[in-house]
Amino acid sequence: MSNRRVPVQAASHKNLFDAFLRGLADIRIADDIIFRLSRLSQAVWINHGSIALLNPESDSLVYIGSGATKLIASASRGREQIVAFHFAGEVMTVPAGALHSYTLCALADTDALVFPTGEFLDIVRAEPGVLIALLQRSFTALHRCRDKAVALGRKNAQERLASFLVGMADRIGSAKADQCWLDLPMSRRDIGDSLGLTIETVSRQLSELRSAGLVETVGRSRVLLCDVTALGKRAGHY
Amino acid sequence: MSNRRVPVQAASHKNLFDAFLRGLADIRIADDIIFRLSRLSQAVWINHGSIALLNPESDSLVYIGSGATKLIASASRGREQIVAFHFAGEVMTVPAGALHSYTLCALADTDALVFPTGEFLDIVRAEPGVLIALLQRSFTALHRCRDKAVALGRKNAQERLASFLVGMADRIGSAKADQCWLDLPMSRRDIGDSLGLTIETVSRQLSELRSAGLVETVGRSRVLLCDVTALGKRAGHY
DNA sequence: CGTTAACTTGAATTAAGTCAACTGTCGTGG
DNA sequence: CCACGACAGTTGACTTAATTCAAGTTAACG
């Protein structure tokens, strides 16, 4: 992870905001709305391993400019469930005051842009393109979360890990034919907390996939999926 | 379940559509948009126990006029995970062509109104009120799904059942002080398929809650939550 | 009031968790 | 640039919570 040693500069608010607009919707947005959104947003630099300080009073809408994050839900007795990972260019919502308490934590040095959801929607009322873009991202998040529910509710450890790897390959992998290289920014503990498994079980199942010839690993974070189709089958997908 | 014996008449498309509009957003919508939405929508009557025939080619937006439904995701080997329950007045999305195949199934005789999501959004572009209402419902669904992920990933059988009961109390219970009556439209199998447990485990845990004095049951579907706060504690909520 | 399916309870099994020891990776400092 | 230390990850042995299989009960409907 060479970028951890290189001193990285936080992006300026302007650059971050521009990237957010470009990524959100491929449409022209009225200047006054852009101005108001810009004033509403707050650029946040989250160091690798630390958590974002979000307003606990209101839901937050977060854009990840660069880096990667995990969204953690905590139940009582200190148990943590990672509810979603997010990567550069993605938008997510963090609820305030829910049944479980949510924390946004950076897996790598991360540039983020934060809006209070309520005010954001008020401003953006007149821009259907933005609303629809947001709605589509929200559907995507819901579908991912449902897939996770299936994995957590009805799949065994090996299928969960296979699902995870195939899902990550889809999002941050570099595919070539039916092979795919992954550089995972999260630890085994994070993977376990995401799959509802212990770190030991994750490790054991990864070893099994390794000896089945489905994956190879290099160091701690690099993984080669040797046969994505076969892995998808092990994941219990249709 | 007396309404199963009474022959129920499917609501007319007009009544259903009107209820949908009233429930969605408390705003005036342009007449031509109402007309186009009305033409796009399809009223569907789903008998207790049978599944809705949705277009497998496109995502569906579904409004439940009356009744109750379960949204089932199927993984390979015939395993089923109930991803969400929906009751009268609610709106949901059913994805087509996802990793797992989704089925909408009625827990009671159900009146529903179905739109293809894509066309719906095209028509509704000019109505920010509708888009925002949809966005908020989508956030609610996402938050519920995340809570479910926490339960499935990090809670034991008893906590899951307690979460389920408290959650249902919130949505379809009749509360009085800290007590709450529930008339569950779903079977023990449905509860198990929703909580990632077997029917036997659900039964055992319900018996435990019963002997702990936290719930009482009458017949198969009526449940009295004797102390919702205490039950919430057992659910691992904060 | 009898039949059927839903539910409950019990005993045996198993997948994943826990606890513990060991190994490899990676970054720092000599 | 190499060696060391610390921590992330792996592997093994044992335990446990939930599943599976099996045998009753009970509720709901005709």
Side-chain angles (χ1 to χ4, degrees), chain A:
Chain A
M1 234 155 275
S2 58
N3 59 342
R4 222 184 294 166
R5 275 173 297 182
V6 178
V8 183
Q9 191 65 46
S12 72
H13 177 275
K14 180 171 169 23
N15 287 345
L16 203 49
F17 186 76
D18 286 350
F20 166 69
L21 283 184
R22 256 179 289 123
L24 194 62
D26 194 17
I27 51 157
R28 239 195 79 65
I29 300 173
D31 284 347
D32 68 308
I33 289 182
I34 291 184
F35 176 72
R36 291 168 67 196
L37 284 182
S38 170
R39 287 203 357 158
L40 183 68
S41 65
Q42 201 186 337
V44 178
W45 171 255
I46 320 166
N47 280 314
H48 171 265
S50 53
I51 65 170
L53 296 167
L54 301 173
N55 183 349
E57 305 285 304
S58 74
D59 296 358
S60 298
L61 194 71
V62 181
Y63 167 76
I64 307 298
S66 68
T69 62
K70 52 181 172 181
L71 180 59
I72 304 171
S74 301
S76 63
R77 224 201 86 206
R79 291 165 297 180
E80 301 197 333
Q81 172 68 39
I82 294 180
V83 143
F85 293 110
H86 291 282
F87 304 103
E90 299 184 345
V91 178
M92 89 194 75
T93 49
V94 183
L99 249 48
H100 308 99
S101 72
Y102 288 89
T103 313
L104 185 66
C105 178
L107 298 170
D109 293 341
T110 293
D111 260 316
L113 199 63
V114 181
F115 303 84
T117 306
E119 280 102 317
F120 183 95
L121 293 182
D122 287 344
I123 293 176
V124 115
R125 263 194 157 265
E127 288 287 351
V130 175
L131 286 174
I132 286 181
L134 214 56
L135 197 54
Q136 269 155 358
R137 275 157 187 71
S138 160
F139 285 161
T140 302
L142 180 57
H143 296 170
R144 284 214 186 102
C145 192
R146 284 173 174 171
D147 283 339
K148 180 183 276 278
V150 176
L152 296 176
R154 286 285 173 239
K155 292 185 183 177
N156 65 26
Q158 180 146 178
E159 292 170 317
R160 291 186 206 183
L161 185 60
S163 289
F164 170 79
L165 291 172
V166 171
M168 282 299 141
D170 203 39
R171 293 173 75 184
I172 56 168
S174 37
K176 183 164 70 168
D178 211 35
Q179 293 203 334
C180 185
W181 273 106
L182 272 178
D183 194 350
L184 296 176
M186 67 288 282
S187 68
R188 298 286 186 273
R189 170 164 301 285
D190 290 330
I191 298 174
D193 284 348
S194 168
L195 300 179
L197 300 170
T198 60
I199 172 175
E200 293 95 330
T201 302
V202 171
S203 186
R204 270 187 266 268
Q205 294 307 325
L206 193 58
S207 298
E208 287 234 340
L209 291 178
R210 209 185 282 121
S211 59
L214 287 167
V215 309
E216 286 169 28
T217 55
V218 180
R220 280 173 186 159
S221 62
R222 292 191 64 74
V223 183
L224 171 65
L225 313 189
C226 307
D227 184 345
V228 177
T229 309
L231 210 56
K233 247 172 226 162
R234 288 234 178 177
H237 295 163
Y238 264 127

Side-chain angles (χ1 to χ4, degrees), chain A residues 79-80 125 128 138 159, chain B residues 79-80 125 128 138 154 159:
Chain A
R79 291 165 297 180
E80 301 197 333
R125 263 194 157 265
S138 160
E159 292 170 317
Chain B
R79 290 166 298 180
E80 300 198 332
R125 263 195 157 265
S138 160
R154 287 285 173 239
E159 292 171 316

Side-chain angles (χ1 to χ4, degrees), chain B residues 132-238:
Chain B
I132 286 181
L134 213 56
L135 198 54
Q136 271 156 355
R137 275 158 187 70
S138 160
F139 284 162
T140 303
L142 181 57
H143 297 169
R144 284 214 186 103
C145 193
R146 284 173 174 170
D147 284 339
K148 180 182 276 276
V150 176
L152 295 178
R154 287 285 173 239
K155 292 186 181 174
N156 64 27
Q158 179 145 182
E159 292 171 316
R160 291 187 208 183
L161 185 61
S163 289
F164 169 80
L165 291 171
V166 171
M168 281 299 141
D170 202 42
R171 293 174 73 184
I172 56 168
S174 37
K176 183 164 72 169
D178 212 35
Q179 294 202 333
C180 185
W181 273 106
L182 272 178
D183 194 350
L184 296 175
M186 69 287 284
S187 68
R188 299 286 186 274
R189 169 163 300 284
D190 290 330
I191 298 174
D193 284 348
S194 169
L195 300 179
L197 300 170
T198 58
I199 173 175
E200 293 96 330
T201 302
V202 171
S203 186
R204 271 185 267 267
Q205 294 306 327
L206 193 60
S207 298
E208 287 233 340
L209 291 179
R210 208 185 284 120
S211 58
L214 287 168
V215 308
E216 286 169 27
T217 55
V218 180
R220 279 172 185 162
S221 64
R222 290 192 66 75
V223 183
L224 172 65
L225 312 188
C226 306
D227 183 346
V228 177
T229 309
L231 210 56
K233 249 171 225 163
R234 289 231 177 181
H237 293 165
Y238 263 128

Side-chain angles (χ1 to χ4, degrees), chain B residues 2-231:
Chain B
S2 57
N3 60 342
R4 224 184 294 168
R5 276 173 297 182
V6 180
V8 183
Q9 191 63 45
S12 72
H13 176 275
K14 182 174 168 20
N15 286 345
L16 203 50
F17 186 77
D18 286 351
F20 166 69
L21 283 184
R22 257 179 287 123
L24 194 62
D26 194 16
I27 51 157
R28 236 193 81 64
I29 301 173
D31 284 347
D32 68 309
I33 289 181
I34 291 184
F35 176 72
R36 290 169 67 197
L37 284 181
S38 169
R39 285 205 355 162
L40 183 68
S41 64
Q42 200 186 337
V44 179
W45 171 254
I46 320 167
N47 280 314
H48 172 264
S50 52
I51 66 171
L53 296 167
L54 301 173
N55 184 350
E57 305 285 305
S58 74
D59 296 358
S60 298
L61 194 71
V62 181
Y63 168 76
I64 306 299
S66 68
T69 62
K70 52 181 172 180
L71 180 59
I72 305 171
S74 302
S76 62
R77 224 201 87 204
R79 290 166 298 180
E80 300 198 332
Q81 173 67 39
I82 293 179
V83 143
F85 292 110
H86 292 282
F87 304 103
E90 301 183 344
V91 177
M92 89 195 75
T93 51
V94 183
L99 250 48
H100 309 98
S101 73
Y102 289 89
T103 313
L104 184 67
C105 179
L107 298 168
D109 292 341
T110 293
D111 259 315
L113 199 62
V114 180
F115 302 85
T117 305
E119 280 101 318
F120 183 95
L121 293 182
D122 287 344
I123 292 177
V124 116
R125 263 195 157 265
E127 289 287 352
V130 174
L131 285 174
I132 286 181
L134 213 56
L135 198 54
Q136 271 156 355
R137 275 158 187 70
S138 160
F139 284 162
T140 303
L142 181 57
H143 297 169
R144 284 214 186 103
C145 193
R146 284 173 174 170
D147 284 339
K148 180 182 276 276
V150 176
L152 295 178
R154 287 285 173 239
K155 292 186 181 174
N156 64 27
Q158 179 145 182
E159 292 171 316
R160 291 187 208 183
L161 185 61
S163 289
F164 169 80
L165 291 171
V166 171
M168 281 299 141
D170 202 42
R171 293 174 73 184
I172 56 168
S174 37
K176 183 164 72 169
D178 212 35
Q179 294 202 333
C180 185
W181 273 106
L182 272 178
D183 194 350
L184 296 175
M186 69 287 284
S187 68
R188 299 286 186 274
R189 169 163 300 284
D190 290 330
I191 298 174
D193 284 348
S194 169
L195 300 179
L197 300 170
T198 58
I199 173 175
E200 293 96 330
T201 302
V202 171
S203 186
R204 271 185 267 267
Q205 294 306 327
L206 193 60
S207 298
E208 287 233 340
L209 291 179
R210 208 185 284 120
S211 58
L214 287 168
V215 308
E216 286 169 27
T217 55
V218 180
R220 279 172 185 162
S221 64
R222 290 192 66 75
V223 183
L224 172 65
L225 312 188
C226 306
D227 183 346
V228 177
T229 309
L231 210 56

